[in-house]
Each structure stands twice: as C-alpha cells, then as structure tokens.
Amino acid sequence: MTEKWKVWLPIGLMVAFALTRWPGLMPLNFSAAYALAFCAGVYFGKRTAWILPLGTLLLTDILLNAHYGQPFRSYQLFTYVAYVVLIALGRYVGPNASLLKLLSGSFVGAVMFYLITNTAAWFFNPFMNPEYTKDLTGWIIALTKGTANWPDTWMFFRNTLTSSGLFTGLFVGAMKLSEAVQEQEEESAEPDPDAAETPA
C-alpha cells in the first residue's frame, strides 16, 4: 500500500463508519461499522487499528447522545468491549488470510458483537421489558425479542450478519484489487535487464 493510501484509506473508512451509524441513514443494525472495525484490525497498523475505530465510536456516541438528548449510559461501555473484540479478531486473522477466512472472521465477530451488546442491554438497560427476568429464560427471550416497542432482536441480528458479510466482502475485495494493481505497477516500473544490455 502506498504512503498516500496509508493516510487516506483509514480516514475514509472511519468517515464511512461514522455515517452508517447516523439514525435513519440505513436500516436498524445494518451498518458498515462492524465490518470496518474488523477490517481495521486486519489491515491497519498497530496503533491506528485501535485508535481510529474506537475514537470514531466515542465521537459518534457523543453526537448521537446529544441528538437523542440522553446522557452516556454505563451499559454503552459494552459496545466498546464488543468493538475491541472485533478489532482483536481482525488482528488475529491478519491480512494474508483467504477471503473465506476473512468472511468467516467477520461473521464470528458479528455473532460475538450481538451476544455482548444484547446481553449488556438485557442486564443493564432500564427500558427492557420487565418480563425479561434475570435468568436463562429471560436472557434467551431478550436475545430473540428485545426491548418492548422495538422490532424483535433477531431482526437486528439478521441485519448485523448481512451488513457485516457484505461490507467485509466489499472492503477485502477492494484491498486485494488495489494490492494487485500496485504489484502490477511496481513490476512495470522495474527496469528490463535485457533492454539495458548493449550489443557487442
């Protein structure tokens, strides 16, 4: 990756990350955020992989809380835990993995994100329906039905899986294509040793 891309690609992806979190822009839980956090772990440098996604998450949370007129709630910290898991999973998979392994990693990350954030909401969210008791039955109901007056949680999970796979595939495809183009450009820029030889 060229130096120019190393600077502008992470910034561009974090702008996309922020935009897809804005309410009403996409269907509920259909976001590039999960895939971009995972791919940041795969492709970005050690510091950039952590600072940019988590910093973008914090900034957008501040803006969203202001938009809804709500304070920062303690259970929101579990969202950061879930994104840390996504980034760490991306770091573990690495950029040399196959497309299948990268897509599988993004799906595993989406499942873990769903379990972490919905379990935290079930346990801490004061707006959860009182029928979701703090036991195994209540947890399972909460994971499938969710908060009262909202769509069922399984619909959020479906959107999370779909968007994670879609955006991971698009991003990984773009990265592999840019790497192939760069390799071709580097090969064409190399001097031809046969052309440099002078006839005897």
Side-chain angles (χ1 to χ4, degrees), residues 40 109 185:
E185 288 177 350

Side-chain angles (χ1 to χ4, degrees), residues 51-71:
I51 294 172
L52 268 184
L54 296 177
T56 304
L57 179 63
L58 177 60
L59 178 60
T60 51
D61 272 345
I62 292 170
L63 294 173
L64 287 170
N65 284 351
H67 174 75
Y68 289 115
Q70 295 180 353

Side-chain angles (χ1 to χ4, degrees), residues 13-198:
L13 290 175
M14 290 309 105
V15 170
F17 186 135
L19 288 175
T20 59
R21 295 196 75 212
W22 197 252
L25 191 64
M26 288 191 169
L28 292 172
N29 273 48
F30 192 92
S31 170
Y34 322 110
L36 294 181
F38 172 76
C39 290
V42 173
Y43 292 106
F44 293 177
K46 290 181 180 179
R47 290 185 179 180
T48 308
W50 299 101
I51 294 172
L52 268 184
L54 296 177
T56 304
L57 179 63
L58 177 60
L59 178 60
T60 51
D61 272 345
I62 292 170
L63 294 173
L64 287 170
N65 284 351
H67 174 75
Y68 289 115
Q70 295 180 353
F72 189 91
R73 301 185 185 277
S74 58
Y75 63 81
Q76 286 184 261
L77 293 173
F78 286 88
T79 303
Y80 291 79
V81 173
Y83 277 105
V84 164
V85 169
L86 281 171
I87 297 167
L89 189 60
R91 301 293 298 171
Y92 173 76
V93 173
N96 296 322
S98 66
L99 178 59
L100 178 60
K101 191 171 182 179
L102 288 165
L103 287 174
S104 299
S106 76
F107 283 128
V108 170
V111 172
M112 294 175 74
F113 188 96
Y114 166 78
L115 291 175
I116 292 169
T117 55
N118 282 281
T119 299
W122 161 72
F123 198 81
F124 294 106
N125 190 344
F127 302 109
M128 291 294 283
N129 194 312
E131 74 182 62
Y132 304 145
T133 54
K134 298 300 187 288
D135 54 23
L136 180 60
T137 301
W139 179 66
I140 292 172
I141 293 173
L143 288 178
T144 53
K145 291 184 67 176
T147 306
N149 302 319
W150 283 83
D152 291 345
T153 314
W154 70 265
M155 295 177 66
F156 292 128
F157 182 45
R158 177 199 61 193
N159 288 352
T160 298
L161 282 177
T162 304
S163 59
S164 183
L166 172 65
F167 286 110
T168 297
L170 289 172
F171 181 66
V172 170
M175 288 297 297
K176 291 190 177 297
L177 179 62
S178 66
E179 287 171 1
V181 170
Q182 184 179 340
E183 287 177 5
Q184 191 174 24
E185 288 177 350
E186 288 174 354
E187 287 176 2
S188 62
E190 289 178 1
D192 185 352
D194 295 331
E197 292 179 3
T198 55

